[in-house]
Amino acid sequence: MSRFPLTLSALAVGLATALAAPAALAQEQTRKPSHCIAIADAAPGLSYVQTASFGAPLEDFTVRLSYIAHASFLIEGPEGFTAVTDYTGFLGNTSFFPDVVTMNNAHSTHWTANPDPRIPHVLPGWNTSGPNPVEHYLDLGEVLVRNVPTDVRSGFGTVSAPLGNSIFVFEIAGLCIGHLGHLHHEPNDMQYAALGRLDVVMAPVDGGYTVPQDVMISILRRLRSSVIVPMHWFGDFTLQSFLTGMASEFRVEYRDTNFLEVSLRTLPSEPTVVVLRPAWLRDDDL
């Protein structure tokens, strides 16, 4: 049975999302607990293999990450779940639409005011109706999507929108996958704690529009994720500068394609930066 683009019918029943302020205590007690926060030690294993492009069937307990462009990734789960991060409204020459999109509003290249109306769950990383931070806790069974709000800062370093953007975490197939978004500052201790364990992290490494590269390297050292995928790098010079800064403590691996498959099996021998080349989605890849 084809999972693209008709992947939504199996998810249509029982879908719910938390889109506003923190839920009441009684509601919180019904939530599926976050295993990424509850289990702070290292995962039992993670392997990555490159076998197929977007839309192809996945093995059990395997997730595919496809780097689309800039800060947008397609996340595919083994049971058919799909999500796009920092969704701008354009994915390429494709009729595909995902189950979930996340967005951040620091720049127009990270969101759209007109998302495809077929997308069931659109999760902005800021509160579109007021000054309070937004809280997402979307439990779709196969995946839990949640956010950790962070500040939007001006070019002068001042806070222009407190907790106005988000780091999104996808808990799927036993993995904890984090997308740091348009991060403007190092998370504080409470934010690190809210993130929990991140097995895979997608990190902006431009060093200018987001945090300086030395700050990003410090963040990634603290997270100590098994796999780091650089994004938001504006050219090979910027990317190579980041990789040079990471090379003393992290293995660096280059891929010729835009995707990576991960599963909880065997961890890399050391934390690894996996460099993917972005590519738009195309229906003829299916």
Side-chain angles (χ1 to χ4, degrees):
M1 181 178 65
S2 174
R3 299 184 300 123
F4 289 81
L6 301 177
T7 62
L8 304 180
S9 58
L11 298 171
V13 178
L15 304 185
T17 182
L19 296 175
L25 178 60
Q27 186 176 13
E28 289 179 351
Q29 290 173 340
T30 66
R31 285 181 169 182
K32 178 172 70 178
S34 164
H35 72 267
C36 301
I37 297 174
I39 305 174
D41 56 346
L46 182 150
S47 67
Y48 45 94
V49 293
Q50 184 171 311
T51 59
S53 58
F54 109 91
L58 284 161
E59 294 184 3
D60 291 344
F61 309 108
T62 301
V63 177
R64 183 184 297 118
L65 306 177
S66 297
Y67 189 12
I68 300 172
H70 200 55
S72 295
F73 287 80
L74 169 64
I75 301 172
E76 300 172 72
E79 298 177 29
F81 168 80
T82 56
V84 170
T85 64
D86 280 26
Y87 174 72
T88 64
F90 181 72
L91 300 176
N93 185 19
T94 179
S95 59
F96 163 75
F97 60 96
D99 302 316
V100 174
V101 297
T102 64
M103 300 189 297
N104 277 304
N105 69 346
H107 296 285
S108 60
T109 50
H110 296 260
W111 73 290
T112 177
N114 300 293
D116 190 322
R118 297 174 297 173
I119 298 170
H121 302 283
V122 177
L123 308 183
W126 68 100
N127 191 338
T128 59
S129 60
N132 296 323
V134 68
E135 180 191 27
H136 297 295
Y137 208 90
L138 177 64
D139 183 358
L140 299 180
E142 181 186 0
V143 62
L144 173 66
V145 185
R146 57 186 178 85
N147 72 310
V148 177
T150 60
D151 294 338
V152 177
R153 297 189 177 179
S154 70
F156 302 100
T158 58
V159 176
S160 57
L163 303 179
N165 274 273
S166 291
I167 297 170
F168 282 92
V169 179
F170 301 82
E171 304 189 14
I172 182 169
L175 289 163
C176 307
I177 300 173
H179 185 281
L180 298 185
H182 206 278
L183 190 62
H184 288 184
H185 62 90
E186 180 168 9
N188 59 35
D189 288 343
M190 291 183 62
Q191 289 166 330
Y192 274 120
L195 288 173
R197 186 189 89 239
L198 294 181
D199 302 302
V200 181
V201 63
M202 292 158 274
V205 303
D206 59 282
Y209 291 98
T210 60
V211 297
Q213 283 191 349
D214 61 333
V215 176
M216 178 53 64
I217 291 170
S218 176
I219 292 169
L220 296 172
R221 284 173 176 162
R222 176 162 175 172
L223 290 174
R224 205 67 182 174
S225 300
S226 296
V227 174
I228 297 159
V229 182
M231 64 175 185
H232 208 267
W233 29 269
F234 297 108
D236 285 346
F237 178 82
T238 303
L239 176 62
Q240 290 303 320
S241 174
F242 166 75
L243 295 176
T244 299
M246 293 286 285
S248 62
E249 297 184 39
F250 295 79
R251 189 172 67 196
V252 176
E253 179 178 323
Y254 295 86
R255 298 293 179 93
D256 292 330
T257 62
N258 75 320
F259 68 91
L260 169 75
E261 292 183 6
V262 294
S263 63
L264 273 173
R265 294 195 180 97
T266 57
L267 284 166
S269 58
E270 58 185 306
T272 302
V273 180
V274 179
V275 180
L276 301 177
R277 293 289 168 174
W280 298 109
L281 302 184
R282 301 186 307 174
D283 281 344
D284 55 10
D285 288 335
L286 297 177

